[in-house]
Amino acid sequence: MLGEFEQIAKIMAPLAQKAKGAFGLTDDAAVFQHAPDQEIVVTTDTLIAGVHFFASDPPETIARKLLGVNLSDLAAMGAQPLHYTLNASYPRDIKLDWLKSFAAGLKAMQDTYGIILLGGDTTATPGPLCLSLTAFGTIPKGQAVRRTTARVGDLICTSGTIGDGALGLLVAQGRLEDQSGHLLGRYRCPQPRTALGVALCSFATACLDISDGLLTDFTHMKKGGEIYLSSIPLSKPAQHLLEQDSELFATILNGGDDYELLFCVAPENENVLKTIAQKTATPITVIGRITTGEGVRLLDQDNNQVPVETAGYRHF
């Protein structure tokens, strides 16, 4: 196994070579600048083996998830990805090949989303693998999209499909089968909607990413809402499993790990959604509307209210 500084020089420094202010990860800190008409958006997440991923997961997918969940937060505010820092606490039995594969996963995400490593810290730990990443993005001044700024009458929309990550976790646990591999892939490797987030910042009235479950995350908007059960977009593997067990719909609504965007637009902007979806190659579905009052009402195709619990993931 390489020592700390050898790891940095041989494995991580190449990921920072395009960031001039990273100085090849040879200094105590990094320097970067942004245009005077922009603001910096900052987000951070920690992933721990046994909590957010399985220790036996391929290191490439762990890297993709680590960067993906942070990029999803940037997308939710409409930010363009710029840099990230990585604090990694590795168990002493981590092998060099594991580190190389992990770095390859980071590089793949960097190349896809245009984000570059700026620095970080590397330590050994007697506990489980712990990875903490802080991502930086930029946005034109005053255009960051907030969670709680939707207005009554706004349309509630979502990107992609809902529930794949939660069902993928059940596949990973051996509790479900999915021959397509789609659901496990969605759980292990989120697809952050950064292009959509940037496109939405000029007309979305509110936005957040779905990490803890559709219904639970909607409550963070602090508004009342109606969501149409039949409009919630599902992937074909999810539909197939739901046909076998209708009780899985509760998992789909509350299970988390989607990392899709949940956002609102004024009704007069509904015609813009198709253009944005085509431009960003991202499916968009209108699933409801903002109402007066508090809480969310789930409605069936006959407009009858369906009993629902908002019991998404919680650490405590």
Side-chain angles (χ1 to χ4, degrees), residues 18 67 71 74 80-84 106-117 136-137 194:
K18 292 183 179 180
L67 251 177
L71 287 166
L74 292 183
Q80 183 70 45
L82 182 63
H83 294 303
Y84 70 96
L106 291 176
K107 184 179 186 304
M109 292 291 281
Q110 288 191 183
D111 292 346
T112 299
Y113 294 97
I115 194 168
I116 304 169
L117 179 65
F136 302 85
T194 54

Side-chain angles (χ1 to χ4, degrees), residues 5-311:
F5 296 105
E6 290 78 14
Q7 289 179 38
I8 294 170
K10 295 181 179 296
I11 298 176
M12 292 301 173
L15 300 179
Q17 63 183 356
K18 292 183 179 180
K20 294 181 179 179
F23 309 118
L25 305 185
T26 60
D27 273 85
D28 292 316
V31 178
F32 72 95
Q33 63 183 27
H34 68 289
D37 60 343
Q38 293 181 325
E39 294 175 317
I40 297 176
V41 178
V42 184
T43 184
T44 190
D45 272 293
T46 298
L47 302 190
I48 301 172
V51 179
H52 303 93
F53 59 89
F54 294 90
S56 59
D57 283 348
E60 299 95 332
T61 67
I62 296 173
R64 287 174 176 269
K65 186 167 192 175
L66 177 64
L67 251 177
V69 301
N70 282 274
L71 287 166
S72 185
D73 284 335
L74 292 183
M77 299 198 78
Q80 183 70 45
L82 182 63
H83 294 303
Y84 70 96
T85 62
L86 171 64
N87 290 349
S89 296
Y90 299 120
R92 294 189 181 276
D93 60 355
I94 286 285
K95 305 299 184 184
L96 181 59
D97 286 346
W98 191 99
L99 288 175
K100 289 180 177 179
S101 296
F102 178 71
L106 291 176
K107 184 179 186 304
M109 292 291 281
Q110 288 191 183
D111 292 346
T112 299
Y113 294 97
I115 194 168
I116 304 169
L117 179 65
L118 201 60
D121 189 32
T122 302
T123 63
T125 177
L129 172 63
C130 181
L131 304 164
S132 184
L133 190 145
T134 299
F136 302 85
T138 58
I139 194 167
K141 280 189 175 181
Q143 290 194 24
V145 187
R146 303 289 305 280
R147 288 179 169 185
T148 59
T149 47
R151 300 167 298 214
V152 173
D154 283 350
L155 304 177
I156 303 170
C157 312
T158 185
S159 63
T161 53
I162 300 301
D164 292 341
L167 295 177
L169 172 59
L170 297 181
V171 172
Q173 293 172 332
R175 297 164 61 186
L176 288 178
E177 291 187 6
D178 171 34
Q179 298 300 323
S180 73
H182 173 81
L183 301 177
L184 182 60
R186 284 293 304 276
Y187 169 69
R188 285 179 169 174
C189 303
Q191 299 175 335
R193 303 298 189 177
T194 54
L196 177 61
V198 170
L200 289 175
C201 70
S202 60
F203 72 94
T205 57
C207 187
L208 52 79
D209 80 324
I210 304 171
S211 56
D212 297 324
L214 171 66
L215 298 185
T216 293
D217 282 316
F218 174 79
T219 64
H220 298 319
M221 289 188 164
K222 306 296 183 184
K223 297 290 188 296
E226 293 178 343
I227 291 180
Y228 316 130
L229 187 68
S230 60
S231 296
I232 295 173
L234 304 175
S235 67
K236 289 183 179 180
Q239 292 177 34
H240 176 69
L241 290 174
L242 195 58
E243 289 170 359
Q244 299 177 47
D245 183 0
S246 61
E247 292 187 2
L248 285 174
F249 209 86
T251 300
I252 288 172
L253 294 175
N254 290 305
D257 281 313
D258 285 318
Y259 297 102
E260 296 290 352
L261 295 185
L262 181 67
F263 61 96
C264 297
V265 300
E268 58 266 27
N269 285 325
E270 183 174 9
N271 61 338
V272 182
L273 295 177
K274 184 176 181 180
T275 301
I276 294 295
Q278 292 175 340
K279 180 181 177 181
T280 62
T282 307
I284 295 174
T285 307
V286 177
I287 63 169
R289 66 184 183 92
I290 297 295
T291 63
T292 57
E294 298 180 356
V296 60
R297 299 171 65 235
L298 191 64
L299 304 178
D300 64 17
Q301 59 186 4
D302 297 319
N303 217 36
N304 296 316
Q305 186 170 352
V306 179
V308 62
E309 293 183 6
T310 55

